[in-house]
Amino acid sequence: MNAMITVAGLKKSYGELKVLRGVDFAVERGSIFALLGSNGAGKTTAVKILATLLKADAGQASVAGFDVATQAGDVRASVSLTGQFAAVDEILSGRENLVLVAKLRHLANPGAVADELLARFGLTDAGARRASTYSGGMRRRLDIAMSLIGDPQVIFLDEPTTGLDPEARLEVWNTVKQLAAGGTTVLLTTQYLDEAEQLADRIAILHEGRIIQNGTLGELKQLLPPAQVEYVEKQPTLEDVFLALTRKEEAA
């Protein structure tokens, strides 16, 4: 596998609380990889370590070929992180937000960069409006557009559709698919089973600080036998797999 992200034996504790207990996974270049888990499973902690915002207690991780512990500057130059809540300046217009980030990254012709991203994310008509007037989906699309300034090889999306209505969620899903189609490697965290099912090339189920299963949607569904309902074979859903695996871990 042509891995853009590799994680081996990653551990992190806060005092007596063990958040990550030896996490291992790899993310292929240009793919969408989902860390699926409930609140408190350790998803955000893992992403913060990969983005060099936290130091791991043990284990190794690399992003774009750079070690997150010893080559943090190179990692930060290769990635972008979009958190659970859109980090846009609501006083500025959509275009002004993009121009500001382009200037902070010392890019030539920030206005042209902003206009290209507005067009790419379907925000040209709203570019002159204050971000405070944007819908949730528009604000999240603007946030992701800001994250792409500088052409990062990897983008981390931490709970990208938290608080969004169904229509806005679909907008964000389409945006994420476009990113991967353009060659960007996407690692997203989510607690929404349908989101992982719709977007991810591979899904790792993170439960109580451990990866308890990792595979494609098809591989995960094969972990449970199909159910027979009125003589019609019913394949297990990702929800069936997730609940069966996490309940098995809790009972162990």
Side-chain angles (χ1 to χ4, degrees):
M1 184 175 68
N2 185 14
M4 179 62 81
I5 301 170
T6 60
V7 176
L10 209 60
K11 296 182 179 180
K12 181 66 179 178
S13 298
Y14 298 102
E16 296 298 317
L17 178 63
K18 296 181 179 180
V19 179
L20 299 178
R21 302 168 179 246
V23 170
D24 304 270
F25 64 83
V27 181
E28 188 175 357
R29 184 184 303 269
S31 69
I32 301 174
F33 186 92
L35 271 180
L36 175 64
S38 305
N39 285 332
K43 304 185 302 295
T44 297
T45 296
V47 167
K48 285 184 175 179
I49 291 172
L50 292 174
T52 74
L53 298 178
L54 279 178
K55 289 186 177 180
D57 297 333
Q60 295 180 324
S62 67
V63 178
F66 301 110
D67 186 277
V68 299
T70 62
Q71 299 171 293
D74 293 313
V75 171
R76 286 193 288 270
S78 305
V79 307
S80 186
L81 170 63
T82 298
Q84 295 182 21
F85 304 99
V88 303
D89 188 323
E90 296 192 347
I91 296 176
L92 300 179
S93 69
R95 187 177 189 275
E96 288 169 340
N97 270 283
L98 293 165
V99 168
L100 175 62
V101 175
K103 287 181 176 179
L104 291 172
R105 288 188 175 271
H106 307 290
L107 298 184
N109 202 348
V113 172
D115 290 337
E116 188 275 329
L117 284 168
L118 288 171
R120 178 177 173 183
F121 285 87
L123 295 170
T124 299
D125 291 343
R129 285 168 37 199
R130 282 191 176 188
S132 61
T133 68
Y134 285 15
S135 67
M138 292 170 66
R139 194 171 304 176
R140 178 54 87 183
R141 281 174 15 231
L142 175 62
D143 192 29
I144 295 174
M146 291 164 61
S147 298
L148 290 179
I149 292 175
D151 295 321
Q153 299 178 63
V154 179
I155 183 167
F156 299 114
L157 300 176
D158 190 17
E159 303 277 4
T161 60
T162 295
L164 297 185
D165 61 39
E167 183 177 358
R169 290 183 74 206
L170 289 175
E171 290 179 13
V172 174
W173 288 1
N174 289 333
T175 299
V176 173
K177 290 175 182 177
Q178 290 170 12
L179 291 178
T184 303
T185 303
V186 180
L187 188 155
L188 68 90
T189 72
T190 184
Q191 58 183 309
Y192 300 125
L193 302 170
D194 59 337
E195 186 158 277
E197 195 163 5
Q198 287 291 325
L199 294 178
D201 298 302
R202 292 189 70 85
I203 301 163
I205 298 177
L206 184 62
H207 182 64
E208 295 183 350
R210 291 189 176 94
I211 301 289
I212 58 175
Q213 199 57 249
N214 181 351
T216 65
L217 179 61
E219 290 169 346
L220 293 178
K221 285 186 174 183
Q222 289 176 7
L223 296 173
L224 295 184
Q228 294 287 338
V229 181
E230 295 183 356
Y231 307 104
V232 177
E233 186 178 88
K234 177 180 178 292
Q235 293 294 326
T237 66
L238 180 58
E239 182 175 5
D240 294 330
V241 175
F242 177 82
L243 292 176
L245 289 171
T246 55
R247 287 171 180 168
K248 183 189 300 182
E249 287 291 316
E250 290 169 355

